[in-house]
Amino acid sequence: MPKEVGGKIFYTAEEAKELGFMPSPEEIARNEAILAAFDQTIRETGPAPEGTAPGFGGRFSDDLDGTEWEGWTQDATGQWFDQDGNPVNEGNQ
């Protein structure tokens, strides 16, 4: 049975195969080549300019944007804080 987490729907491998969501070997090879080229570009790219945010910016800079965890932050100790700055315990999520 599909499971929804963070606004995304996850299927088991069997469900995905039954629904036709599994890629062909050719699609996998093509995508691996695209990712290898992207990884090479990233390795060759220098660091972000001083004073700018790392990453691609916009909607690609925060994986939590658009989910129920939008605005949450994590400190260096691994403690999570909600959008209001309140500490979040594992059981409170």
Side-chain angles (χ1 to χ4, degrees):
M1 170 155 239
K3 181 177 180 181
E4 185 171 342
V5 177
K8 310 289 188 273
I9 299 175
F10 294 87
Y11 297 93
T12 64
E14 294 79 19
E15 291 169 334
K17 187 173 183 176
E18 184 178 307
L19 293 169
F21 293 154
M22 300 298 282
S24 68
E26 294 81 19
E27 288 175 302
I28 292 172
R30 181 181 65 85
N31 290 329
E32 285 175 346
I34 290 169
L35 287 171
F38 176 75
D39 286 343
Q40 184 64 33
T41 300
I42 294 298
R43 281 192 295 276
E44 293 170 354
T45 304
E50 189 68 33
T52 62
F56 294 105
R59 68 186 187 113
F60 297 108
S61 48
D62 188 349
D63 289 341
L64 301 178
D65 281 353
T67 71
E68 61 262 35
W69 300 291
E70 186 169 1
W72 284 31
T73 56
Q74 188 177 33
D75 67 11
T77 67
Q79 172 65 51
W80 281 96
F81 298 88
D82 66 15
Q83 63 272 14
D84 299 321
N86 302 315
V88 179
N89 297 329
E90 187 88 16
N92 293 357
Q93 298 177 11

